Amino acid sequence: MLNKSELAYWTAGIFEVAGSAFYRKSAAGKKATIPHKYYPVFSVYDDSNRIKKLQTYLGGNIQSNKKDWRATNAPALEIAEMISDIAPLRKIIAQSFLYWAELDTVEKYLYVSRLLATVSKQTEISKAEVAVKDYESLVTEPAFMAGVIDARGSFSEMSPGEKDAHVADEVSLNISTHNIALLNAVKNVFNGSTPRRMTSEYGQGYQWAASWANLRNLMAEVQPYMLLRDVEYYVKKLEKTKRNKPNN
């Protein structure tokens, strides 16, 4: 079980590469002095098994399709409190949620109405401008990287060619996200491939990949903090590869 600080870094990792944060509109009632209410939402769409696990750690609700998780009102504010100082991409919306929470009902309506009038999409507030330097320290936090991999990581096995038949099957890790600054920071710290534009199950974005040589130390550090993906099988494969790889 992660402590409070570790859970905060893990949650920040999740929302820096996946999900969304926005204000949702609902009816205010016939006798209300405002036409409708707004409330804060964090949302993640993913595999139904991972979504169930996500709910275990962050609360919230799972929608009827079983792949869409949402935290609204109090749970959303708890997440905003956790990540507002350690999630560069989400800091604007997280801080906005916390400011919103301090207002009365009418002020909440006026504040969000004015805020949404400044952006083109009437859902998610503009994300913060981020740079590689914003992440170079964060990606060295094992819990943060565990959240990144839990949210948008995928593992694959590559069978060795006939020439390398004495070498165990290799394992590669891909991380897919729109956050190119984060991926470049990951490359700077852990090597691997230069992030490239691609299409994944999550849509258009960028992908960073690394083979066994770059993964051993990374996975040893992050595995204890991973909560959504079962990586024990791949960690064992990495160890097997390490033992069987010849020294040049």
Side-chain angles (χ1 to χ4, degrees):
M1 191 67 179
L2 305 188
N3 62 36
K4 185 176 180 179
S5 175
E6 292 165 347
L7 183 63
Y9 275 106
W10 178 81
T11 305
I14 293 281
F15 285 103
E16 287 299 280
V17 296
S20 58
F22 54 93
Y23 286 99
R24 193 166 184 84
K25 184 169 65 176
S26 66
K30 293 182 179 179
K31 297 182 179 181
T33 57
I34 55 176
H36 45 256
K37 294 181 179 179
Y38 292 105
Y39 58 92
V41 181
F42 280 100
S43 177
V44 174
Y45 186 88
D46 205 342
D47 171 83
S48 59
N49 290 327
R50 288 192 290 274
I51 287 297
K52 286 181 181 178
K53 294 177 182 178
L54 184 67
Q55 184 187 39
T56 299
Y57 297 104
L58 296 182
N61 297 292
I62 299 174
Q63 305 304 297
S64 58
N65 62 10
K66 299 182 179 181
K67 294 184 177 183
D68 189 3
W69 167 91
R70 293 182 183 181
T72 63
N73 292 313
L77 294 177
E78 290 177 8
I79 293 172
E81 182 72 35
M82 282 196 292
I83 72 172
S84 61
D85 293 329
I86 54 174
L89 191 68
R90 301 292 183 183
K91 65 180 180 181
I92 290 177
I93 189 66
Q95 291 170 2
S96 175
F97 285 174
L98 297 176
Y99 177 76
W100 170 93
E102 299 298 319
L103 303 176
D104 65 30
T105 301
V106 174
E107 289 174 331
K108 282 181 168 69
Y109 165 74
L110 293 173
Y111 168 68
V112 179
S113 296
R114 292 165 181 161
L115 193 62
L116 294 180
T118 66
V119 296
S120 57
K121 293 176 65 177
Q122 298 296 300
T123 52
E124 188 165 9
I125 306 303
S126 297
K127 297 173 183 175
E129 292 291 330
V130 292
V132 175
K133 62 182 177 61
D134 295 319
Y135 292 103
E136 288 179 337
S137 176
L138 274 174
V139 298
T140 64
E141 292 284 347
F144 180 87
M145 278 304 297
V148 168
I149 298 171
D150 266 336
R152 288 296 181 260
S154 62
F155 293 89
S156 60
E157 297 177 65
M158 302 177 292
S159 297
E162 185 175 328
K163 183 175 72 171
D164 300 318
H166 60 285
V167 180
D169 289 0
E170 291 190 356
V171 176
S172 66
L173 166 66
N174 301 316
I175 298 176
S176 304
T177 177
H178 290 89
N179 194 336
I180 183 67
L182 184 148
L183 291 184
N184 279 322
V186 169
K187 174 178 169 47
N188 288 350
V189 175
F190 302 107
N191 297 316
S193 68
T194 299
R196 59 185 179 87
R197 188 179 293 275
M198 47 75 66
T199 301
S200 73
E201 60 183 302
Y202 305 110
Q204 293 285 338
Y206 299 90
Q207 186 178 81
W208 168 87
S211 63
W212 73 274
N214 304 107
L215 287 179
R216 289 202 311 269
N217 293 336
L218 171 61
M219 293 311 302
E221 291 181 0
V222 305
Q223 184 188 10
Y225 303 95
M226 292 189 64
L227 303 176
L228 305 185
R229 295 179 187 269
D230 183 5
V231 297
E232 184 177 358
Y233 168 80
Y234 295 104
V235 171
K236 288 181 177 178
K237 292 284 291 186
L238 288 169
E239 287 304 311
K240 182 179 178 182
T241 303
K242 178 182 177 181
R243 290 194 299 271
N244 293 352
K245 191 78 172 180
N247 294 322
N248 293 326

